[in-house]
Amino acid sequence: MCTVCGCGDTVTADGKVISHDEAHRLGLAHSHAPVFQPAVVPFPHVQAGHHHYGTGAAGVSVPGMTQQRLIEVETSILAKNDALAASNRRVLTALGVLALNLVSSPGSGKTTLLCRTIEALGDVPLAVIEGDQQTSADADRIRATGARAIQINTGKGCHLDAAMVGHAVDALRPQPGSYLFIENVGNLVCPAGFDLGEDAKVAILSVTEGEDKPLKYPDMFTAARLALLNKIDLAPHCDVDLDLYEANLRRVNPDIEILRLSARTGEGMAAWLDWLRARLAEKAA
C-alpha cells in the first residue's frame, strides 16, 4: 500500500506500471483503480458493562490507526521530546539546579502549595515555570511572592513539553545551586509521558479527590517519585481515608514516597521543606 495516500501497491504512470511510492517520489502523474481499504476501527476488550480501549500493545485506541502505527507515532514524538529533555537535564545538572515537575489534576492546590513553599524557603534562589492552557494568573501569584516566574500557555495543548521548558530555562537563567519548580498543566494523563528534564515528578493530590484517584490514573503515580497528599485539614469533613490513599498509591508504585500536608494551615510543610533541601544537597553532591 502507498505510504503517501494509502492506495494500491502499483499504478500506471507514463504508460508503465511502477510502484505507487516511486510515482510519488518522481512526481509523476499516475492513475489507479480505487482500492477499498476498510477503516481501522478500535475494538475494545468487552466485559459485561465494561468496554476497555487500552488493552492493546499501544495502550490506547484511535479510529483509523492500527496499534503498530500508534506505537510508531508515539515513539517518534517521545524520542524527539526525550532528546530535548536530555539537553535540558545536562544544562540544569551543570548548574546544580534541582528541577521538580509538579503534576496534578486541576484544583489540587499546586499553586497555593508553591507560594507557601517559596515563602518558607526564604532567600533561597529559585525560579518557577507555570503551565496553563490560558491566562497568566498563576505566574502572577508566584511573582507576588517575589520569585521569578515565566508563564507558558499551551493553548489546546494538555501538557508542557521539553521544548517549552527549554525556552523558559533559557529566559530564566536559573542561578547555580537553585530550585526550579515546573508547575505543569492540571492533567493526570498526558504529563505522565513527557520528560521535561526534571530530577523528579512530584504528584500532588487533594484529599477531596477520592482515594481511588491513583488507581484510576496509574501512569502518573507510577512516574512520580513523591506524592504530596494535600488539604489534610479537610479530611475530617470529607469522610476520607488517608491510609487508603497511601495504600492505593503504593499499589501502583511501591517505591513512591508520600507526605501528608496542608498548604493552608502549614501542617506537614516542614517535612516537605526537609525533602526539598535533601534533594538539593544530593544534586550538589
Side-chain angles (χ1 to χ4, degrees):
M1 185 179 72
C2 173
T3 57
V4 176
C5 63
C7 295
D9 291 327
T10 60
V11 296
T12 300
D14 288 349
K16 298 178 182 179
V17 177
I18 62 173
S19 76
H20 206 160
D21 282 326
E22 184 71 2
H24 279 292
R25 187 180 71 80
L26 297 174
L28 298 176
H30 56 276
S31 61
H32 48 76
V35 177
F36 173 71
Q37 296 290 342
V40 179
V41 179
F43 291 97
H45 175 73
V46 178
Q47 295 178 334
H50 185 181
H51 290 191
H52 195 336
Y53 286 84
T55 58
V60 67
S61 294
V62 175
M65 297 184 72
T66 65
Q67 290 288 293
Q68 179 180 354
R69 182 57 181 153
L70 284 167
I71 291 171
E72 290 171 353
V73 170
E74 181 178 12
T75 300
S76 175
I77 292 171
L78 290 181
K80 293 174 183 176
N81 182 82
D82 288 348
L84 293 170
S87 177
N88 292 346
R89 188 169 282 112
R90 285 192 295 270
V91 170
L92 295 169
T93 297
L95 291 170
V97 171
L98 179 69
L100 298 175
N101 183 2
L102 307 183
V103 293
S104 79
S105 57
S108 68
K110 286 195 305 299
T111 309
T112 297
L113 174 65
L114 194 46
C115 288
R116 299 292 183 271
T117 300
I118 292 167
E119 292 165 356
L121 287 172
D123 295 331
V124 174
L126 57 87
V128 178
I129 297 172
E130 281 290 339
D132 279 302
Q133 287 189 300
Q134 300 292 345
T135 84
S136 63
D138 286 351
D140 293 340
R141 289 177 62 188
I142 297 298
R143 294 188 191 109
T145 69
R148 294 184 304 127
I150 282 185
Q151 179 73 53
I152 296 176
N153 287 141
T154 60
K156 290 185 178 181
C158 56
H159 60 87
L160 296 177
D161 63 32
M164 297 173 183
V165 169
H167 290 308
V169 169
D170 288 343
L172 281 169
R173 297 184 179 275
Q175 296 182 40
S178 64
Y179 294 99
L180 175 64
F181 295 102
I182 305 166
E183 184 177 343
N184 218 315
V185 178
N187 180 351
L188 283 177
V189 182
C190 303
F194 282 79
D195 184 6
L196 305 180
E198 73 270 18
D199 291 287
K201 285 183 174 66
V202 177
I204 301 163
L205 278 161
S206 163
V207 299
T208 60
E209 295 179 63
E211 301 96 332
D212 58 355
K213 195 68 71 178
L215 305 181
K216 290 183 175 181
Y217 301 92
D219 289 354
M220 181 62 77
F221 298 100
T222 299
R225 175 173 176 177
L226 172 68
L228 297 178
L229 191 51
N230 190 23
K231 304 185 184 180
I232 58 171
D233 54 306
L234 298 180
H237 310 288
C238 298
D239 192 26
V240 63
D241 186 336
L242 298 181
D243 291 334
L244 181 56
Y245 249 121
E246 294 200 10
N248 286 340
L249 282 164
R250 292 199 167 94
R251 279 182 64 183
V252 300
N253 183 354
D255 298 323
I256 197 167
E257 301 174 63
I258 304 170
L259 295 175
R260 301 179 183 184
L261 56 80
S262 168
R264 188 179 71 87
T265 67
E267 182 180 357
M269 285 291 292
W272 161 234
L273 296 171
D274 288 344
W275 189 92
L276 288 173
R277 295 180 182 115
R279 300 296 79 75
L280 186 61
E282 288 175 2
K283 190 69 180 279

